[in-house]
Amino acid sequence: REPRAVLAGPEPRAVDADGTPFAPVAREAFPELPRLVLAAPVAPSEPSAALAAAIALADRLAGLGLPPAEAIEIATEGDPRGSSLRLRGPAPRFVLGRDPEPALARHSAFDRAPPPEALLAAHIDLRFRDQAVLREPPPSGAAQAADPRSNAGPSTARGSG
């Protein structure tokens, strides 16, 4: 069997193209392969449609001119977030939804001309047909210390003019 991804978790496993976790591996094994994160557990040595779909999703990226997947997260059945994708490099997490195909097309278009604020986003939700929803990372103490104005209240001074 050829490993196509690594199922992340307490006991990482190599996963084949059919979505079958087949062998325990070290966490750092196969760094070139995407890490698959499932919200629901899967049985070792049994094929999983969710894992197979995640591997197919990772395979589609190159055809769209996108970088390889670092990680693919798969939500539980019925969760509207569906699958999420993090590409290699300093990239946000892209929420694709239950049907990732239309979101992948939007991702490809978004990747060619991203808005400047996308560089600061932690999550970009591509489930909506006419817009991408960007979410910034939560503020941290370090960011507030670097910008003391973030703690300032509104000014009561009247503007000139």
Side-chain angles (χ1 to χ4, degrees):
R1 289 181 170 171
E2 178 185 348
R4 300 290 302 278
V6 174
L7 178 60
E11 188 179 309
R13 292 180 115 22
V15 180
D16 67 15
D18 295 328
T20 305
F22 64 92
V25 297
R27 287 193 196 287
E28 63 278 353
F30 306 109
E32 72 282 4
L33 297 179
R35 292 331 196 220
L36 305 181
V37 180
L38 284 177
V42 295
S45 303
E46 289 187 24
S48 163
L51 292 176
I55 291 168
L57 174 69
D59 290 345
R60 287 260 304 119
L61 299 177
L64 295 169
L66 296 169
E70 177 77 27
I72 299 172
E73 298 172 28
I74 304 156
T76 58
E77 189 67 34
D79 186 331
R81 289 176 296 179
S83 56
S84 299
L85 172 68
R86 185 178 305 275
L87 301 175
R88 294 207 188 275
R93 184 174 142 234
F94 293 92
V95 179
L96 304 176
R98 300 294 321 154
D99 179 13
E101 227 22 69
L104 279 178
R106 287 189 289 278
H107 187 305
S108 183
F110 182 86
D111 195 54
R112 285 190 295 272
E117 57 270 14
L119 297 173
L120 302 175
H123 297 78
I124 299 176
D125 195 333
L126 298 172
R127 293 178 290 167
F128 309 105
R129 184 174 307 179
D130 59 345
Q131 66 181 349
V133 178
L134 285 73
R135 294 193 179 100
E136 295 180 14
S140 68
Q144 289 177 350
D147 184 7
R149 294 174 295 159
S150 65
N151 292 329
S155 173
T156 57
R158 296 176 63 173
S160 62

